């Protein structure tokens, strides 16, 4: 029997942790005593700010640049973390982009770039950590999907397809890894205040949210922290937890 996974002393990798939701997740898990690896693509100084913020509150963190759309870049990232930290206990697949447009006019490069990062990137990272997690017979994988992956959205066929794909990937990986003590879950945010949503017409969106406000990155971080914690979430796998102010009720 393996010892339970505690956040204190565990190593957590958060992709796309320089800004927005990933940043809030990194800070939250850092405050629980985890060593946090801050992945970023293009914002080294923002990533360093997150590292400093975690360290200044007594936590441990470092940053690594890697393009999650690119499998060899992901493999290098995982190799570096395993060399530096010796293990990865929690993987949070958070990095994501939007390239919105009506389907009829959507350029194939916008389709492909969203699928490549938001879906294939989750596959690359999950595959790359799986060997070490299977060996240590414990781990948590938490994928950030979206309610758009559940209900679709006009103008976001690429994004909705990728986020639906993440849900199928989450459930399949949960079934494959369960016997080895690894849980795989997804968190589906509604509309959260980040750079990704800053240009949207929020009045119209808010009118469809029963709780009457956009979410904050910390709302998502709280759910991720719960899914990463032991024993709280030890018996939960293959699930999609919506954090959307009640916007989508099924
Ligand atoms: P954001 O504020 O735009 O931040 C995106 C993060 O992803 C940044 O840290 C960025 O790093 C990183 N990133 C972008 N391209 C990358 C790449 N190729 N490789 C590695 N990292 C990359 O976005 P967010 O709103 O926090 O969204 C985070 C996740 O939540 C995404 O998966 C998104 O789809 C999902 N989500 C968001 C909302 C929402 O309302 N905001 C709702 C549902 C789901 P750099 O700073 O280096 O560019």
């Amino acid at each position: 029997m393996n010892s339970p996974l505690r956040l204190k002393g565990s190593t957590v990798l958060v992709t796309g942790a320089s800004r927005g939701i990933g940043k809030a997740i990194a800070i939250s898990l850092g405050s629980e005593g985890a060593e946090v690896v801050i992945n970023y693509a293009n914002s080294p100084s923002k990533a360093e700010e997150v590292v400093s913020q975690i360290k200044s509150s007594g936590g441990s963190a470092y940053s690594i640049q890697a393009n999650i759309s690119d499998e060899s870049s992901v493999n290098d990232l995982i190799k570096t973390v395993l060399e530096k930290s010796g293990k990865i206990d929690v993987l949070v697949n958070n990095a994501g982009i939007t390239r919105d447009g009506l389907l009829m006019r959507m350029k194939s490069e916008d389709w492909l770039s969203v699928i490549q990062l938001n879906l294939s990137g989750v596959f690359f990272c999950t595959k790359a950590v799986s060997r070490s997690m299977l060996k240590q017979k414990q781990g948590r994988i938490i994928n950030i999907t979206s309610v758009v992956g559940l209900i679709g959205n006009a103008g976001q066929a690429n994004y909705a397809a990728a986020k639906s794909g993440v849900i199928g990937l989450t459930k399949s990986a949960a079934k494959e890894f369960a016997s080895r003590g690894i849980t795989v879950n997804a968190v589906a945010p509604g509309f959260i205040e980040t750079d990704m949503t800053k240009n949207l017409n929020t009045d119209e969106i808010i009118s469809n949210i029963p709780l009457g406000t956009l979410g904050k990155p910390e709302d998502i971080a709280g759910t991720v922290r719960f899914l990463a914690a032991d024993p709280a979430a030890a018996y939960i796998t293959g699930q999609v937890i919506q954090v959307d102010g009640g916007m989508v009720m099924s």
Side-chain angles (χ1 to χ4, degrees):
M1 183 83 177
N2 288 288
S3 58
L5 186 79
R6 303 275 170 204
L7 278 175
K8 192 167 172 49
S10 66
T11 301
V12 176
L13 168 61
V14 185
T15 68
S18 47
R19 295 184 279 122
I21 292 171
K23 174 180 177 177
I25 293 169
I27 289 168
S28 170
L29 297 181
S31 73
E32 294 286 326
E35 175 186 52
V36 190
V37 185
I38 311 296
N39 158 253
Y40 65 96
N42 304 303
S43 313
S45 56
K46 287 192 188 311
E48 273 317 300
E49 277 169 31
V50 182
V51 170
S52 303
Q53 203 171 325
I54 292 172
K55 283 186 173 167
S56 66
S57 17
S60 166
Y62 60 93
S63 68
I64 306 185
Q65 194 281 339
N67 177 7
I68 301 298
S69 298
D70 179 75
E71 188 166 18
S72 68
S73 182
V74 167
N75 290 341
D76 289 346
L77 166 70
I78 303 301
K79 190 164 169 270
T80 307
V81 179
L82 290 174
E83 279 167 6
K84 278 183 89 149
S85 300
K87 62 192 172 102
I88 298 172
D89 300 297
V90 181
L91 166 67
V92 184
N93 282 309
N94 167 78
I97 51 166
T98 51
R99 293 288 179 271
D100 297 352
L102 292 176
L103 195 150
M104 210 177 80
R105 288 191 223 115
M106 186 175 283
K107 294 193 188 106
S108 55
E109 67 214 53
D110 288 338
W111 169 267
L112 290 171
S113 61
V114 169
I115 298 289
Q116 189 68 9
L117 176 61
N118 297 11
L119 178 56
S120 302
V122 178
F123 162 68
F124 298 150
C125 292
T126 303
K127 184 178 173 193
V129 300
S130 63
R131 187 183 293 270
S132 72
M133 276 192 185
L134 289 167
K135 226 166 155 186
Q136 71 194 19
K137 295 201 174 71
Q138 65 179 17
R140 298 279 164 92
I141 299 173
I142 301 159
N143 298 326
I144 308 301
T145 177
S146 166
V147 292
V148 164
L150 296 168
I151 60 168
N153 195 20
Q156 288 198 307
N158 49 0
Y159 186 80
K163 293 299 187 182
S164 285
V166 167
I167 293 171
L169 174 53
T170 300
K171 293 180 180 180
S172 304
K175 287 183 177 178
E176 285 191 26
F177 298 158
S179 65
R180 305 295 280 271
I182 300 163
T183 67
V184 190
N185 290 290
V187 177
F191 284 94
I192 310 298
E193 277 174 29
T194 68
D195 292 345
M196 187 176 272
T197 52
K198 68 181 177 203
N199 295 324
L200 299 179
N201 174 354
T202 51
D203 290 348
E204 198 188 316
I205 292 167
I206 287 170
S207 68
N208 290 314
I209 301 175
L211 287 179
T213 160
L214 296 189
K216 302 236 178 290
E218 291 71 23
D219 294 320
I220 309 305
T223 306
V224 170
R225 190 175 57 203
F226 163 69
L227 287 171
D230 206 273
Y235 200 54
I236 300 175
T237 197
Q239 302 305 308
V240 183
I241 301 185
Q242 291 170 223
V243 184
D244 63 359
M247 196 176 80
V248 176
M249 297 188 193
S250 49

